[in-house]
Amino acid sequence: MSATWQIQAILDDATDGLRLVMHATREVDGETQQTSDTMIVDHPAEARLECSRFAKVLGVEDYALVDRRDAA
């Protein structure tokens, strides 16, 4: 049985751009499964695009993106 992935993404300042950390978790038959990806992006729109791609790969539509940039 497959449960739906819950995706939490964080956008934060980095020395060479914006750091995007995407973390997905789901529980299947009482076992927690996790996957994640981290990348540097140039702007928030690119971060949203990457989150959408990450979600699509996992077969879900929704994700939560938290913007922690200083200038946000």
Side-chain angles (χ1 to χ4, degrees):
M1 180 174 143
S2 176
T4 302
W5 290 99
Q6 301 297 314
I7 301 172
Q8 175 78 29
I10 298 171
L11 183 64
D12 205 352
D13 291 313
T15 56
D16 50 351
L18 299 172
R19 180 178 47 251
L20 176 64
V21 179
M22 299 172 288
H23 185 79
T25 305
R26 72 178 177 178
E27 194 160 316
V28 176
D29 297 327
E31 179 180 319
T32 300
Q33 299 177 345
Q34 300 178 37
T35 188
S36 63
D37 197 4
T38 302
M39 64 185 63
I40 298 296
V41 296
D42 293 325
H43 47 79
E46 183 181 3
R48 290 187 297 275
L49 176 64
E50 292 300 336
C51 286
S52 293
R53 289 178 179 165
F54 185 70
K56 186 176 181 179
V57 166
L58 296 175
V60 296
E61 304 254 339
D62 296 327
Y63 61 87
L65 177 61
V66 177
D67 193 339
R68 293 190 179 162
R69 296 176 296 147
D70 289 338

